[in-house]
Amino acid sequence: ILIASLRRQIQKQKLLAEYEANRRQKEMEIKNLELTNEKEKTKRQKLVIVIGFIGLIALIVFSFMVYRQYIQKKKANIELTEKNRLISHQKQQITDSIRYASRIQKAVLPPEEFVTKILPQHFILNKPRDIVSGDYYWTTQRGNESIIAVADCTGHGVPGAFMSMLGVAFLNNIVSGNDSLSAGEILNELRTEVISALKQKGEEGEQTDGMHIALHIIAHENMKIEFAGA
């Protein structure tokens, strides 16, 4: 009986020792697992921090680029607005100058009262396309004769208007300087004046400005009309 009791006691101690060893082993495994989990958690936290830091930097860079583009666009809009204002101002100045030139051009054309005196029954259709015009009409009285001309100068707007002013001035000088010129002779003289004024030498590539013109001389005594066109 004593031996059997002793054996049971030894067996019990062995079981307790094995249990204690197993328990310690389990505790060790649990600690190792907790340590591993803690390391993984720390790694994940570091990764989240790094990703967040990179994202923050990217957001700052993107915000800076957007702000820079906004500043550049705002600056460009300000410059564009200023340029448009200057262009509008210059355009208004040019338009005002052209309108003033139009008044000068109209002033050199024969007055309506003078035309009515020469030709009681008439009408004038003069509609400039660009405020000033390269088209002009001209008339004068020479004794019992009325001289009437209608011309279309090369160019539109301001260039044509300059040509029309030359045409009117030349016709006045030509007719006032000679009372016996025929319609064709008047146009020949006008041609000479235009070539001289524009320094045209007939060379290739030079300016070819001029005008198409129809000129009539009406003799009221014998009711005859003389025409020349060029």
Side-chain angles (χ1 to χ4, degrees), residues 50-66:
V50 171
I51 293 175
F53 182 71
I54 294 175
L56 180 61
I57 292 177
L59 180 61
I60 293 174
V61 172
F62 177 75
S63 299
F64 174 76
M65 292 177 63
V66 170

Side-chain angles (χ1 to χ4, degrees), residues 107-172:
V108 301
L109 295 176
E112 176 65 23
E113 298 81 6
F114 182 71
V115 179
T116 301
K117 180 180 178 181
I118 295 176
L119 291 174
Q121 296 181 349
H122 76 280
F123 70 91
I124 298 173
L125 179 63
N126 184 28
K127 300 174 66 176
R129 191 187 74 173
D130 301 313
I131 304 177
V132 291
S133 175
D135 301 330
Y136 71 93
Y137 58 94
W138 174 86
T139 184
T140 189
Q141 189 76 23
R142 188 175 67 178
N144 293 323
E145 296 177 335
S146 298
I147 306 177
I148 303 168
V150 176
D152 176 14
C153 300
T154 56
H156 296 283
V158 175
F162 275 113
M163 287 297 301
S164 72
M165 299 283 284
L166 286 176
V168 170
F170 290 153
L171 286 171
N172 285 329

Side-chain angles (χ1 to χ4, degrees), residues 170 174 186-198:
F170 290 153
I174 292 168
I186 291 174
L187 293 192
N188 283 333
E189 290 289 334
L190 177 61
R191 177 179 183 274
T192 301
E193 293 288 350
V194 170
I195 291 174
S196 176
L198 300 181

